[in-house]
Amino acid sequence: QVQLVESGGGSVQTGGSLILSCTASGFRASPYCMAWFRQAPGKEREGVAVIRTGGGRLSYVDSVKGRFTISQDTAKNTLYLQMNSLKPEDTAMYYCAAATGPLCTNGNYGLVDFAFAFWGQGTQVTVSS
């Protein structure tokens, strides 16, 4: 049974930092991609960052470029999101996702949620001004 378990969310002030972690288990083969998405109240889910497993190709939504870094430790089956210079508009539930098909490797679909079949339960990030 595939499981994605996020941790590391919390409340910080503007300019603060957080590191989110996502531990994956149950995959019979390595996912093509792992990603972080977020959803704020009243807004659609948004792709934040994606990493292609093995090859390491990275993509970020423009609003987090230069502030967030996605990485993975394949030995630990863990995905990370280092978030620096946090802003109130980063407040959202953050979800880890895994893609077991190659659609996510297409540059047009790397941050599109329908390319990802498996999702974690989410971890809340709140940034206060």
Short mmCIF file of all heavy atoms in Angstrom, two decimals, residues 50-107:
data_model
loop_
_atom_site.label_atom_id
_atom_site.label_comp_id
_atom_site.label_asym_id
_atom_site.label_seq_id
_atom_site.Cartn_x
_atom_site.Cartn_y
_atom_site.Cartn_z
N VAL A 50 8.53 20.48 -8.29
CA VAL A 50 8.57 19.09 -8.73
C VAL A 50 10.00 18.69 -9.00
O VAL A 50 10.81 19.51 -9.44
CB VAL A 50 7.69 18.87 -9.99
CG1 VAL A 50 8.17 19.73 -11.15
CG2 VAL A 50 7.64 17.40 -10.38
N ILE A 51 10.30 17.42 -8.70
CA ILE A 51 11.62 16.89 -8.99
C ILE A 51 11.46 15.56 -9.71
O ILE A 51 10.63 14.73 -9.34
CB ILE A 51 12.46 16.73 -7.69
CG1 ILE A 51 13.88 16.25 -8.01
CG2 ILE A 51 11.78 15.77 -6.71
CD1 ILE A 51 14.82 16.36 -6.81
N ARG A 52 12.22 15.39 -10.77
CA ARG A 52 12.19 14.14 -11.50
C ARG A 52 13.16 13.18 -10.82
O ARG A 52 14.35 13.49 -10.71
CB ARG A 52 12.59 14.34 -12.95
CG ARG A 52 12.41 13.10 -13.81
CD ARG A 52 12.88 13.31 -15.23
NE ARG A 52 12.23 14.43 -15.87
CZ ARG A 52 12.47 14.79 -17.13
NH1 ARG A 52 13.35 14.12 -17.86
NH2 ARG A 52 11.85 15.83 -17.65
N THR A 53 12.67 12.08 -10.32
CA THR A 53 13.52 11.15 -9.59
C THR A 53 14.57 10.54 -10.53
O THR A 53 14.30 10.31 -11.71
CB THR A 53 12.70 10.03 -8.95
OG1 THR A 53 11.92 9.38 -9.97
CG2 THR A 53 11.75 10.59 -7.90
N GLY A 54 15.74 10.36 -10.01
CA GLY A 54 16.84 9.82 -10.81
C GLY A 54 17.57 10.91 -11.54
O GLY A 54 18.74 11.15 -11.32
N GLY A 55 16.88 11.59 -12.43
CA GLY A 55 17.52 12.63 -13.21
C GLY A 55 17.68 13.93 -12.47
O GLY A 55 18.55 14.74 -12.80
N GLY A 56 16.82 14.17 -11.47
CA GLY A 56 16.95 15.35 -10.64
C GLY A 56 16.48 16.65 -11.24
O GLY A 56 16.71 17.71 -10.67
N ARG A 57 15.83 16.63 -12.40
CA ARG A 57 15.37 17.88 -13.00
C ARG A 57 14.33 18.53 -12.09
O ARG A 57 13.44 17.87 -11.58
CB ARG A 57 14.76 17.60 -14.37
CG ARG A 57 14.30 18.85 -15.09
CD ARG A 57 13.77 18.52 -16.47
NE ARG A 57 13.21 19.70 -17.12
CZ ARG A 57 12.68 19.69 -18.33
NH1 ARG A 57 12.64 18.56 -19.02
NH2 ARG A 57 12.19 20.79 -18.85
N LEU A 58 14.47 19.85 -11.89
CA LEU A 58 13.62 20.57 -10.96
C LEU A 58 12.80 21.62 -11.68
O LEU A 58 13.24 22.20 -12.68
CB LEU A 58 14.49 21.29 -9.92
CG LEU A 58 15.60 20.47 -9.25
CD1 LEU A 58 16.44 21.38 -8.36
CD2 LEU A 58 15.02 19.33 -8.45
N SER A 59 11.61 21.86 -11.15
CA SER A 59 10.79 22.97 -11.64
C SER A 59 10.07 23.60 -10.46
O SER A 59 9.72 22.91 -9.50
CB SER A 59 9.76 22.48 -12.67
OG SER A 59 10.37 22.02 -13.83
N TYR A 60 9.86 24.90 -10.54
CA TYR A 60 9.19 25.64 -9.48
C TYR A 60 8.15 26.57 -10.09
O TYR A 60 8.33 27.10 -11.19
CB TYR A 60 10.18 26.49 -8.69
CG TYR A 60 11.25 25.71 -7.98
CD1 TYR A 60 12.47 25.44 -8.60
CD2 TYR A 60 11.06 25.26 -6.69
CE1 TYR A 60 13.46 24.73 -7.94
CE2 TYR A 60 12.05 24.55 -6.01
CZ TYR A 60 13.25 24.30 -6.66
OH TYR A 60 14.22 23.60 -6.00
N VAL A 61 7.10 26.82 -9.33
CA VAL A 61 6.17 27.87 -9.71
C VAL A 61 6.89 29.20 -9.51
O VAL A 61 7.73 29.34 -8.62
CB VAL A 61 4.87 27.77 -8.88
CG1 VAL A 61 5.12 28.10 -7.42
CG2 VAL A 61 3.79 28.63 -9.48
N ASP A 62 6.58 30.17 -10.34
CA ASP A 62 7.32 31.43 -10.32
C ASP A 62 7.32 32.10 -8.95
O ASP A 62 8.32 32.70 -8.53
CB ASP A 62 6.74 32.40 -11.35
CG ASP A 62 7.11 32.02 -12.78
OD1 ASP A 62 8.01 31.17 -12.97
OD2 ASP A 62 6.49 32.56 -13.71
N SER A 63 6.23 31.98 -8.22
CA SER A 63 6.09 32.71 -6.96
C SER A 63 7.03 32.23 -5.86
O SER A 63 7.20 32.91 -4.85
CB SER A 63 4.65 32.63 -6.46
OG SER A 63 4.27 31.29 -6.24
N VAL A 64 7.65 31.06 -6.04
CA VAL A 64 8.55 30.54 -4.99
C VAL A 64 9.99 30.43 -5.46
O VAL A 64 10.87 30.06 -4.66
CB VAL A 64 8.08 29.17 -4.46
CG1 VAL A 64 6.62 29.23 -4.03
CG2 VAL A 64 8.31 28.06 -5.47
N LYS A 65 10.25 30.74 -6.71
CA LYS A 65 11.61 30.64 -7.23
C LYS A 65 12.55 31.53 -6.43
O LYS A 65 12.26 32.69 -6.14
CB LYS A 65 11.65 31.03 -8.71
CG LYS A 65 11.07 29.97 -9.63
CD LYS A 65 11.12 30.41 -11.08
CE LYS A 65 10.53 29.33 -11.99
NZ LYS A 65 10.51 29.76 -13.41
N GLY A 66 13.70 30.96 -6.07
CA GLY A 66 14.67 31.69 -5.28
C GLY A 66 14.43 31.63 -3.78
O GLY A 66 15.29 32.04 -2.99
N ARG A 67 13.27 31.12 -3.37
CA ARG A 67 12.95 31.02 -1.94
C ARG A 67 12.78 29.58 -1.48
O ARG A 67 13.12 29.24 -0.35
CB ARG A 67 11.65 31.78 -1.64
CG ARG A 67 11.71 33.25 -1.97
CD ARG A 67 10.48 34.00 -1.47
NE ARG A 67 9.25 33.52 -2.06
CZ ARG A 67 8.22 33.04 -1.37
NH1 ARG A 67 8.28 32.96 -0.05
NH2 ARG A 67 7.12 32.64 -1.99
N PHE A 68 12.25 28.73 -2.33
CA PHE A 68 12.00 27.33 -1.98
C PHE A 68 12.96 26.43 -2.74
O PHE A 68 13.34 26.71 -3.88
CB PHE A 68 10.58 26.92 -2.35
CG PHE A 68 9.49 27.54 -1.53
CD1 PHE A 68 9.72 28.61 -0.67
CD2 PHE A 68 8.19 27.06 -1.62
CE1 PHE A 68 8.71 29.17 0.08
CE2 PHE A 68 7.16 27.60 -0.88
CZ PHE A 68 7.42 28.67 -0.03
N THR A 69 13.33 25.31 -2.09
CA THR A 69 14.19 24.33 -2.73
C THR A 69 13.63 22.93 -2.49
O THR A 69 13.42 22.55 -1.33
CB THR A 69 15.63 24.39 -2.19
OG1 THR A 69 16.16 25.70 -2.37
CG2 THR A 69 16.52 23.39 -2.92
N ILE A 70 13.40 22.20 -3.55
CA ILE A 70 12.94 20.82 -3.44
C ILE A 70 14.14 19.89 -3.58
O ILE A 70 15.05 20.15 -4.37
CB ILE A 70 11.86 20.50 -4.51
CG1 ILE A 70 11.26 19.12 -4.27
CG2 ILE A 70 12.43 20.62 -5.92
CD1 ILE A 70 10.05 18.82 -5.16
N SER A 71 14.15 18.84 -2.77
CA SER A 71 15.23 17.87 -2.84
C SER A 71 14.71 16.52 -2.36
O SER A 71 13.61 16.43 -1.81
CB SER A 71 16.43 18.30 -1.99
OG SER A 71 16.07 18.39 -0.62
N GLN A 72 15.50 15.50 -2.61
CA GLN A 72 15.08 14.18 -2.15
C GLN A 72 16.28 13.36 -1.73
O GLN A 72 17.38 13.54 -2.25
CB GLN A 72 14.28 13.45 -3.22
CG GLN A 72 15.02 13.12 -4.48
CD GLN A 72 14.16 12.42 -5.52
OE1 GLN A 72 14.45 12.42 -6.69
NE2 GLN A 72 13.07 11.80 -5.10
N ASP A 73 16.05 12.49 -0.77
CA ASP A 73 17.04 11.53 -0.32
C ASP A 73 16.48 10.15 -0.68
O ASP A 73 15.61 9.63 0.01
CB ASP A 73 17.26 11.67 1.18
CG ASP A 73 18.37 10.75 1.70
OD1 ASP A 73 18.62 9.70 1.09
OD2 ASP A 73 18.96 11.08 2.73
N THR A 74 16.95 9.60 -1.79
CA THR A 74 16.38 8.35 -2.27
C THR A 74 16.66 7.19 -1.32
O THR A 74 15.87 6.26 -1.23
CB THR A 74 16.91 8.02 -3.67
OG1 THR A 74 18.35 8.02 -3.65
CG2 THR A 74 16.42 9.05 -4.68
N ALA A 75 17.77 7.25 -0.60
CA ALA A 75 18.08 6.19 0.36
C ALA A 75 17.08 6.15 1.49
O ALA A 75 16.79 5.09 2.05
CB ALA A 75 19.50 6.37 0.90
N LYS A 76 16.54 7.31 1.83
CA LYS A 76 15.56 7.41 2.92
C LYS A 76 14.13 7.49 2.40
O LYS A 76 13.19 7.62 3.19
CB LYS A 76 15.86 8.63 3.78
CG LYS A 76 17.19 8.57 4.52
CD LYS A 76 17.38 9.81 5.39
CE LYS A 76 18.70 9.74 6.15
NZ LYS A 76 18.91 10.95 7.00
N ASN A 77 13.97 7.45 1.06
CA ASN A 77 12.63 7.58 0.46
C ASN A 77 11.92 8.83 0.97
O ASN A 77 10.72 8.79 1.28
CB ASN A 77 11.79 6.33 0.73
CG ASN A 77 12.32 5.10 0.04
OD1 ASN A 77 12.80 5.17 -1.09
ND2 ASN A 77 12.27 3.97 0.72
N THR A 78 12.66 9.91 1.06
CA THR A 78 12.11 11.13 1.64
C THR A 78 12.30 12.31 0.70
O THR A 78 13.37 12.49 0.12
CB THR A 78 12.76 11.43 3.00
OG1 THR A 78 12.54 10.32 3.89
CG2 THR A 78 12.16 12.68 3.63
N LEU A 79 11.23 13.08 0.57
CA LEU A 79 11.21 14.30 -0.22
C LEU A 79 11.19 15.48 0.74
O LEU A 79 10.56 15.41 1.79
CB LEU A 79 9.96 14.33 -1.10
CG LEU A 79 9.75 15.52 -2.01
CD1 LEU A 79 10.71 15.46 -3.19
CD2 LEU A 79 8.30 15.56 -2.50
N TYR A 80 11.90 16.55 0.37
CA TYR A 80 11.97 17.72 1.23
C TYR A 80 11.54 18.98 0.46
O TYR A 80 11.64 19.04 -0.77
CB TYR A 80 13.40 17.94 1.73
CG TYR A 80 13.95 16.78 2.51
CD1 TYR A 80 14.78 15.84 1.90
CD2 TYR A 80 13.64 16.61 3.85
CE1 TYR A 80 15.30 14.78 2.61
CE2 TYR A 80 14.15 15.54 4.57
CZ TYR A 80 14.99 14.62 3.95
OH TYR A 80 15.48 13.56 4.65
N LEU A 81 11.10 19.96 1.21
CA LEU A 81 10.87 21.30 0.66
C LEU A 81 11.41 22.29 1.67
O LEU A 81 10.82 22.48 2.74
CB LEU A 81 9.40 21.56 0.37
CG LEU A 81 9.13 22.89 -0.33
CD1 LEU A 81 9.69 22.87 -1.76
CD2 LEU A 81 7.63 23.20 -0.37
N GLN A 82 12.54 22.89 1.34
CA GLN A 82 13.10 23.95 2.17
C GLN A 82 12.45 25.25 1.75
O GLN A 82 12.52 25.64 0.59
CB GLN A 82 14.62 24.03 1.95
CG GLN A 82 15.28 25.23 2.61
CD GLN A 82 15.39 25.10 4.12
OE1 GLN A 82 15.88 24.11 4.62
NE2 GLN A 82 14.90 26.11 4.84
N MET A 83 11.80 25.91 2.70
CA MET A 83 11.08 27.14 2.42
C MET A 83 11.71 28.28 3.21
O MET A 83 11.69 28.26 4.44
CB MET A 83 9.60 26.99 2.77
CG MET A 83 8.93 25.81 2.09
SD MET A 83 7.15 25.75 2.37
CE MET A 83 7.13 25.46 4.14
N ASN A 84 12.27 29.25 2.50
CA ASN A 84 12.88 30.41 3.12
C ASN A 84 12.12 31.67 2.75
O ASN A 84 11.34 31.68 1.79
CB ASN A 84 14.34 30.54 2.67
CG ASN A 84 15.19 29.36 3.08
OD1 ASN A 84 15.00 28.77 4.13
ND2 ASN A 84 16.17 29.02 2.25
N SER A 85 12.38 32.73 3.47
CA SER A 85 11.75 34.03 3.19
C SER A 85 10.25 33.88 3.00
O SER A 85 9.67 34.40 2.05
CB SER A 85 12.39 34.65 1.95
OG SER A 85 13.78 34.80 2.11
N LEU A 86 9.63 33.19 3.92
CA LEU A 86 8.20 32.92 3.80
C LEU A 86 7.37 34.19 3.88
O LEU A 86 7.71 35.14 4.60
CB LEU A 86 7.77 31.92 4.88
CG LEU A 86 8.16 30.47 4.58
CD1 LEU A 86 8.13 29.62 5.85
CD2 LEU A 86 7.23 29.88 3.53
N LYS A 87 6.29 34.18 3.13
CA LYS A 87 5.37 35.31 3.05
C LYS A 87 3.98 34.86 3.46
O LYS A 87 3.65 33.67 3.35
CB LYS A 87 5.32 35.84 1.61
CG LYS A 87 6.66 36.20 1.01
CD LYS A 87 6.51 36.59 -0.45
CE LYS A 87 7.85 36.93 -1.08
NZ LYS A 87 7.71 37.32 -2.51
N PRO A 88 3.13 35.79 3.89
CA PRO A 88 1.76 35.41 4.25
C PRO A 88 1.03 34.68 3.11
O PRO A 88 0.22 33.78 3.38
CB PRO A 88 1.11 36.75 4.57
CG PRO A 88 2.23 37.58 5.09
CD PRO A 88 3.42 37.19 4.25
N GLU A 89 1.33 35.01 1.89
CA GLU A 89 0.67 34.36 0.76
C GLU A 89 1.14 32.93 0.55
O GLU A 89 0.58 32.20 -0.28
CB GLU A 89 0.86 35.16 -0.53
CG GLU A 89 2.28 35.53 -0.85
CD GLU A 89 2.62 36.95 -0.38
OE1 GLU A 89 2.23 37.33 0.75
OE2 GLU A 89 3.31 37.67 -1.15
N ASP A 90 2.14 32.48 1.30
CA ASP A 90 2.55 31.08 1.27
C ASP A 90 1.69 30.22 2.19
O ASP A 90 1.83 28.99 2.20
CB ASP A 90 4.01 30.93 1.67
CG ASP A 90 4.97 31.59 0.70
OD1 ASP A 90 4.77 31.45 -0.52
OD2 ASP A 90 5.92 32.24 1.18
N THR A 91 0.84 30.85 2.97
CA THR A 91 -0.03 30.11 3.89
C THR A 91 -0.95 29.19 3.11
O THR A 91 -1.67 29.61 2.20
CB THR A 91 -0.86 31.10 4.73
OG1 THR A 91 0.01 31.85 5.57
CG2 THR A 91 -1.88 30.35 5.58
N ALA A 92 -0.91 27.90 3.45
CA ALA A 92 -1.69 26.90 2.74
C ALA A 92 -1.48 25.54 3.37
O ALA A 92 -0.58 25.37 4.20
CB ALA A 92 -1.29 26.83 1.27
N MET A 93 -2.30 24.59 2.95
CA MET A 93 -2.02 23.19 3.25
C MET A 93 -1.08 22.70 2.15
O MET A 93 -1.37 22.88 0.96
CB MET A 93 -3.30 22.37 3.25
CG MET A 93 -3.12 20.93 3.66
SD MET A 93 -2.75 20.75 5.41
CE MET A 93 -4.40 20.97 6.10
N TYR A 94 0.02 22.09 2.54
CA TYR A 94 1.00 21.61 1.59
C TYR A 94 0.91 20.09 1.49
O TYR A 94 0.89 19.39 2.50
CB TYR A 94 2.41 22.02 2.02
CG TYR A 94 2.71 23.48 1.72
CD1 TYR A 94 2.08 24.50 2.43
CD2 TYR A 94 3.58 23.83 0.69
CE1 TYR A 94 2.33 25.83 2.12
CE2 TYR A 94 3.84 25.16 0.39
CZ TYR A 94 3.21 26.15 1.11
OH TYR A 94 3.46 27.47 0.82
N TYR A 95 0.88 19.62 0.25
CA TYR A 95 0.72 18.20 -0.03
C TYR A 95 1.91 17.66 -0.81
O TYR A 95 2.40 18.31 -1.74
CB TYR A 95 -0.55 17.95 -0.85
CG TYR A 95 -1.82 18.35 -0.18
CD1 TYR A 95 -2.35 19.62 -0.36
CD2 TYR A 95 -2.51 17.46 0.64
CE1 TYR A 95 -3.53 20.00 0.25
CE2 TYR A 95 -3.70 17.84 1.25
CZ TYR A 95 -4.20 19.11 1.05
OH TYR A 95 -5.37 19.47 1.67
N CYS A 96 2.31 16.48 -0.46
CA CYS A 96 3.31 15.73 -1.20
C CYS A 96 2.57 14.85 -2.22
O CYS A 96 1.49 14.32 -1.91
CB CYS A 96 4.10 14.88 -0.21
SG CYS A 96 5.22 13.69 -0.91
N ALA A 97 3.14 14.70 -3.39
CA ALA A 97 2.50 13.89 -4.43
C ALA A 97 3.54 13.09 -5.19
O ALA A 97 4.69 13.53 -5.33
CB ALA A 97 1.72 14.78 -5.38
N ALA A 98 3.11 11.95 -5.70
CA ALA A 98 4.00 11.08 -6.47
C ALA A 98 3.34 10.67 -7.78
O ALA A 98 2.15 10.36 -7.81
CB ALA A 98 4.35 9.83 -5.66
N ALA A 99 4.13 10.70 -8.84
CA ALA A 99 3.64 10.32 -10.16
C ALA A 99 4.28 9.00 -10.57
O ALA A 99 5.51 8.91 -10.61
CB ALA A 99 3.96 11.40 -11.17
N THR A 100 3.46 8.02 -10.90
CA THR A 100 3.97 6.73 -11.33
C THR A 100 3.92 6.57 -12.85
O THR A 100 4.26 5.52 -13.38
CB THR A 100 3.20 5.58 -10.67
OG1 THR A 100 1.80 5.78 -10.91
CG2 THR A 100 3.45 5.56 -9.17
N GLY A 101 3.51 7.61 -13.55
CA GLY A 101 3.53 7.63 -15.00
C GLY A 101 4.42 8.76 -15.49
O GLY A 101 4.76 9.66 -14.73
N PRO A 102 4.77 8.74 -16.78
CA PRO A 102 5.76 9.69 -17.30
C PRO A 102 5.22 11.07 -17.64
O PRO A 102 5.99 11.94 -18.03
CB PRO A 102 6.27 8.99 -18.56
CG PRO A 102 5.11 8.19 -19.03
CD PRO A 102 4.41 7.72 -17.78
N LEU A 103 3.90 11.31 -17.51
CA LEU A 103 3.34 12.60 -17.91
C LEU A 103 4.03 13.75 -17.19
O LEU A 103 4.25 14.82 -17.76
CB LEU A 103 1.84 12.63 -17.64
CG LEU A 103 1.10 13.90 -18.06
CD1 LEU A 103 1.22 14.13 -19.56
CD2 LEU A 103 -0.37 13.83 -17.65
N CYS A 104 4.41 13.54 -15.94
CA CYS A 104 5.02 14.61 -15.15
C CYS A 104 6.37 15.05 -15.71
O CYS A 104 6.85 16.14 -15.37
CB CYS A 104 5.21 14.18 -13.70
SG CYS A 104 6.36 12.81 -13.50
N THR A 105 6.97 14.23 -16.56
CA THR A 105 8.29 14.60 -17.11
C THR A 105 8.15 15.54 -18.30
O THR A 105 9.15 16.09 -18.76
CB THR A 105 9.07 13.35 -17.54
OG1 THR A 105 8.37 12.69 -18.60
CG2 THR A 105 9.24 12.39 -16.39
N ASN A 106 6.94 15.72 -18.77
CA ASN A 106 6.68 16.70 -19.83
C ASN A 106 6.67 18.07 -19.19
O ASN A 106 5.98 18.31 -18.21
CB ASN A 106 5.32 16.39 -20.47
CG ASN A 106 5.00 17.33 -21.63
OD1 ASN A 106 5.06 18.54 -21.49
ND2 ASN A 106 4.66 16.76 -22.76
N GLY A 107 7.44 18.96 -19.75
CA GLY A 107 7.58 20.29 -19.16
C GLY A 107 6.27 21.02 -18.95
O GLY A 107 6.17 21.89 -18.09
#
